[in-house]
């Protein structure tokens, strides 16, 4: 237990030293402010190209549209920031030989992986909370129509947290199979975006973790059970596989 | 003037984002001056940081710095 606590503390310190939190915060919080502002300014930007009556019909956004747009941006670009922040976590430990000292002191490899996972889990959940809070504030401030209530935000928050926990477990797994963080990042991005392709097939849709993103856009009004169970199962499988893979790697 | 929104209103809306981008860019340029870099020369990283809003600085922080 002491090893786990020490390693978790080490992950937080390293997160600060390597500016991981700045990257995560930019990826998650930036769009929460930028999206509603850009949506608000969009009619002004295109006012010279589209007739005024059409602008009114095309760009009449409500606060919930701004939230849905934020979730979409978060998936398209925020995921990149999250994946590339986590991509070097496992392989750097092995190939830069940082793991040698704690391992020779009897550090438990499983706990090292779990500490890494928990560290990202805490950081992402906190930042998502702040991001959704900012987005709700700006969306309600800038757009007219039915305001976003806290009760709308809560299910969205939990579904997004679960989706990004899946993404982190996938990234850590791929990081344990690659030597460079760029390769791990590219593979994790490909796999994450492929889940969006899976959801194009009606029969497979509910088994695709990306369905959580689609459900958040509908404010969780549809059945989420199957997607939730599949995503949590996949997350656990990826985590256990990462632990096994990390245990089997030779530390020089 | 853009549509029914004047420049002052636009700037007020975009102020938090502009400030964030500016702070991040300056921070990364100062880091770049003192860091050892990899993959690209320093001047190329400086261009990336300046040209690509938000993404450039983060790419530099995550991929461009030589770790100790």
């Amino acid at each position: 237990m002491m090893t786990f606590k020490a390693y978790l503390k080490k992950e937080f310190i390293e997160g600060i030293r390597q500016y991981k939190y700045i990257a995560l915060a930019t990826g998650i919080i930036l769009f929460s402010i930028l999206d509603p502002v850009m949506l608000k300014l969009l009619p002004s930007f295109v006012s010279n190209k589209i007739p005024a009556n059409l602008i009114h019909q095309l760009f009449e956004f409500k606060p919930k549209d701004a939230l849905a747009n934020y979730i979409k941006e978060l998936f398209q670009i925020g995921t990149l920031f999250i994946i590339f922040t986590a991509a070097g976590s496992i392989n750097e430990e092995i190939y830069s030989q940082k793991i040698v000292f704690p391992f020779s002191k009897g550090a438990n490899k499983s706990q090292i992986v779990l500490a890494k996972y928990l560290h990202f889990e805490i950081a992402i959940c906190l930042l998502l909370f702040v991001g959704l809070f900012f987005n709700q504030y700006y969306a309600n401030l800038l757009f007219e129509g039915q305001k976003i209530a806290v009760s709308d935000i809560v299910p969205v928050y939990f579904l997004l947290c679960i989706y990004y926990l899946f993404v982190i477990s996938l990234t850590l797994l791929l990081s344990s199979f690659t030597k460079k963080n760029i390769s791990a990042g590219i593979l994790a991005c490909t796999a994450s975006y492929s889940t969006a392709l899976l959801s194009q097939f009606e029969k497979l849709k509910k088994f695709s973790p990306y369905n959580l993103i689609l459900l958040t856009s509908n404010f969780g009004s549809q059945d989420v059970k199957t997607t939730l169970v599949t995503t949590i199962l996949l997350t656990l499988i990826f985590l256990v596989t990462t632990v096994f893979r990390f245990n089997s790697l030779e530390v020089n | 003037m853009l549509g029914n929104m004047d420049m002052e209103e636009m700037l007020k809306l975009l102020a938090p984002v502009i400030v964030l981008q500016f702070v991040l860019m300056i921070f990364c340029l100062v880091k770049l001056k003192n860091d050892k870099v990899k993959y690209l020369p320093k001047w190329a990283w400086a261009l990336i940081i300046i040209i690509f809003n938000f993404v450039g600085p983060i790419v530099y922080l995550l991929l461009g710095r030589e770790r100790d």
Side-chain angles (χ1 to χ4, degrees):
Chain A
M1 196 61 193
M2 288 303 284
T3 320
F4 181 72
K5 273 187 184 171
Y7 224 84
L8 191 60
K9 197 178 167 189
K10 175 244 171 201
E11 286 299 324
F12 280 110
I13 293 168
E14 208 170 277
I16 296 168
R17 280 188 62 223
Q18 294 184 358
Y19 309 108
K20 286 180 181 175
Y21 300 127
I22 294 180
L24 286 175
T26 308
I28 295 172
I29 298 173
L30 167 71
F31 300 107
S32 70
I33 304 169
L34 194 62
D35 269 15
V37 173
M38 293 315 283
L39 275 186
K40 184 74 181 173
L41 294 176
L42 195 60
S44 308
F45 289 142
V46 296
S47 60
N48 294 335
K49 293 167 186 161
I50 298 177
N53 57 339
L54 259 182
I55 286 180
H56 196 67
Q57 288 170 17
L58 286 173
F59 303 110
E60 202 182 343
F61 300 113
K62 291 189 169 58
K64 281 189 176 179
D65 297 326
L67 179 61
N69 196 55
Y70 169 54
I71 294 163
K72 205 172 78 186
E73 287 283 337
L74 203 56
F75 171 72
Q76 287 170 348
I77 306 168
T79 307
L80 277 175
F81 285 72
I82 291 170
I83 284 176
F84 278 97
T85 308
S89 295
I90 305 280
N91 53 21
E92 271 185 7
E93 292 280 4
I94 299 292
Y95 297 105
S96 65
Q97 298 182 335
K98 282 195 285 183
I99 194 72
V100 177
F101 186 69
F103 188 55
S104 64
K105 287 276 186 186
N108 186 322
K109 280 186 175 178
S110 317
Q111 289 183 349
I112 291 173
V113 174
L114 288 179
K116 282 182 182 301
Y117 183 73
L118 192 66
H119 150 255
F120 278 113
E121 184 178 318
I122 293 169
I124 288 174
C125 289
L126 279 175
L127 289 168
L128 276 175
F129 179 80
V130 177
L132 284 170
F133 171 78
F134 276 139
N135 189 262
Q136 182 198 17
Y137 173 76
Y138 268 86
N140 283 343
L141 186 78
L142 295 174
F143 299 101
E144 286 173 7
Q146 197 193 353
K147 302 292 179 197
I148 303 167
V150 176
S151 56
D152 295 323
I153 293 286
V154 174
V156 169
Y157 173 69
F158 282 107
L159 292 180
L160 280 178
C161 282
I162 288 168
Y163 177 75
Y164 282 105
L165 298 184
F166 158 77
V167 171
I168 288 294
S169 68
L170 173 70
T171 311
L172 291 187
L173 174 68
L174 292 169
S175 179
S176 70
F177 279 97
T178 48
K179 281 191 177 179
K180 290 194 170 178
N181 51 1
I182 291 186
S183 334
I186 291 169
L187 282 173
C189 284
T190 313
S192 296
Y193 293 134
S194 302
T195 61
L197 284 179
L198 263 187
S199 57
Q200 299 294 316
F201 303 99
E202 205 51 48
K203 282 184 181 172
L204 295 173
K205 192 177 172 180
K206 61 183 177 179
F207 298 105
S208 164
Y210 175 72
N211 198 33
L212 291 178
I213 299 287
L214 294 176
L215 289 165
T216 52
S217 307
N218 302 326
F219 300 95
S221 56
Q222 292 156 5
D223 182 35
V224 295
K225 266 185 199 164
T226 315
T227 314
L228 261 183
V229 171
T230 315
T231 310
I232 292 169
L233 262 177
L234 281 173
T235 307
L236 289 174
I237 291 169
F238 291 162
L239 261 182
V240 172
T241 317
T242 310
V243 169
F244 277 117
R245 171 71 185 158
F246 198 54
N247 275 323
S248 69
L249 281 169
E250 209 166 288
V251 178
N252 296 312
Chain B
M1 184 88 92
L2 279 169
N4 54 359
M5 193 171 287
D6 62 29
M7 194 55 85
E8 196 184 325
E9 275 180 314
M10 274 181 64
L11 278 176
K12 271 184 192 168
L13 279 178
L14 284 170
V17 182
I18 294 168
V19 171
L20 266 175
Q21 155 63 15
F22 189 70
V23 169
L24 197 61
M25 190 179 77
I26 297 297
F27 173 76
C28 285
L29 288 174
V30 172
K31 286 286 318 156
L32 177 70
K33 191 172 171 277
N34 304 318
D35 284 346
K36 284 180 183 168
V37 292
K38 58 183 180 184
Y39 301 126
L40 294 169
K42 280 197 177 189
W43 63 264
W45 279 118
L47 276 181
I48 289 172
I49 290 168
I50 293 166
I51 293 171
F52 298 103
N53 291 344
F54 289 106
V55 176
I58 298 304
V59 169
Y60 169 67
L61 287 179
L62 293 179
L63 304 174
R65 294 168 55 244
E66 192 74 69
R67 304 269 159 87
D68 298 330

